[in-house]
Amino acid sequence: MNNTNNCMVSVFCTTYNQKKYIAKCLESMVNQKTNFPYEIIVRDDASTDGTSDIVREFGAKYPDKIVPFIQPENLFQRGLEHISFEKMFRMSKGKYIAVCDGDDFWTDENKLQKQVDFMESHPDYSMCGHAAYFARDDDSLRTDRFFRLAMGSGDLTIEEVISKWAMATTSLMYRKSCRTDIIFPYRGNCVNDDYAMMVYMALKGKIYYSDELMGAYRLSANGSISQRLLEDKEFLKKYSTEFADMLDRIDSYTQGRYSDLLQKQKRITMFDMYLNLADSKNLKQYKDVYKTACKTTKIRYILCVYCHPVYTIVYKAYLKLRKK
């Protein structure tokens, strides 16, 4: 690895048991065309399927770019992943941090250059991101649905960031100097660092969204958190309640300035959890969320509350279809 201090971007790639996807991810990173040096720190959380070997191979092939960071034990399962992240953050040399998980990949070889050019010419911005494709398991890109905002390119307000999952993780780049807290003070046990980070950066400066498709987000990839949320009810409960608790902590951290939005987001989180758990009894408490939901969600709510046996059959069929 080049030890000079002019590294412009540190790419953070976290992976675990993603042997099927990691090579595609790393190839999209090393093939970036830039007029500046960058590094790729690949944090492997003690994979057991051969992912670690692929990371080492890429490290040996691209020693000037890839920094393998292989954990000897899985810290996520112990709730200690923040320890390895803190180490990764401290070892990073870049002025900016770009993010791409091991099951995602970039689709534009000029992505890093475009984002750095923007951040360099807009010093009052703490973060930028962009639109993304949804990728299938075989790496093909969907053309019927995208991870993008309807607004087109432009600034995102803190209110917009709080109210939705604004940008795909694979699209994010932030100014390292803005992250004065390596571990967010309101994080607690919540593992949804993407949302926590976007809120944090929105409090630190301006956020820009580009409506240019430059990356791919793989929905429900094997071993991903999104897959576990679909298949593991206990994990869904734990994930959702911890996220809801974090929203309360953000409310306290921001001294109630965005309380209405945060509490609304909390109710949406619990509504989604009970809907996915097919818990019609508790779901009835969230009629206010139902009223503002999209048409598909409203249909699911009606089936779950008033035609529960039908809903469970249909939802199980949907999960099988989605997995395929």
Side-chain angles (χ1 to χ4, degrees), residues 107-269:
T107 57
D108 188 332
E109 62 185 8
N110 298 304
K111 170 207 151 68
L112 286 183
Q113 185 69 57
K114 291 176 181 177
Q115 289 189 294
V116 166
D117 287 346
F118 176 84
M119 296 296 281
E120 286 289 279
S121 60
H122 296 82
D124 52 338
Y125 282 72
S126 57
M127 174 182 277
C128 64
H130 54 76
Y133 294 96
F134 284 111
R136 299 183 182 88
D137 203 57
D138 62 358
D139 298 340
S140 62
L141 304 176
R142 292 183 58 169
T143 56
D144 60 328
R145 182 186 173 203
F146 305 94
F147 200 137
R148 73 194 317 174
L149 300 176
M151 56 174 266
S153 300
D155 291 354
L156 289 175
T157 65
I158 176 65
E159 290 82 5
E160 289 173 314
V161 171
I162 288 173
S163 301
K164 55 194 161 191
W165 186 13
M167 296 178 286
T169 308
T170 186
S171 77
L172 302 179
M173 175 183 286
Y174 62 88
R175 199 177 301 274
K176 186 180 180 182
S177 61
C178 288
R179 188 162 183 166
T180 53
D181 298 287
I182 298 178
I183 305 301
F184 304 123
Y186 44 75
R187 182 181 183 274
N189 294 320
C190 183
V191 297
N192 192 336
D193 271 343
D194 307 339
Y195 181 88
M197 178 169 59
M198 282 188 273
V199 171
Y200 185 90
M201 289 299 162
L203 293 169
K204 292 286 187 174
K206 295 181 180 179
I207 292 186
Y208 181 74
Y209 165 76
S210 168
D211 199 42
E212 188 173 0
L213 293 158
M214 295 192 287
Y217 174 77
R218 209 183 298 267
L219 192 62
S220 301
N222 182 41
S224 67
I225 288 179
S226 57
Q227 182 192 47
R228 287 190 65 188
L229 289 172
L230 289 172
E231 299 178 351
D232 187 337
K233 289 186 176 182
E234 290 306 313
F235 181 75
L236 171 61
K237 291 178 186 177
K238 184 173 183 291
Y239 180 95
S240 300
T241 53
E242 287 179 350
F243 181 69
D245 289 344
M246 184 180 73
L247 292 172
D248 283 335
R249 291 191 292 271
I250 294 175
D251 196 0
S252 177
Y253 179 78
T254 56
Q255 299 179 325
R257 294 197 302 274
Y258 311 101
S259 187
D260 289 346
L261 284 174
L262 288 163
Q263 293 309 311
K264 180 180 178 181
Q265 191 65 25
K266 181 178 178 180
R267 290 188 64 77
I268 292 173
T269 299

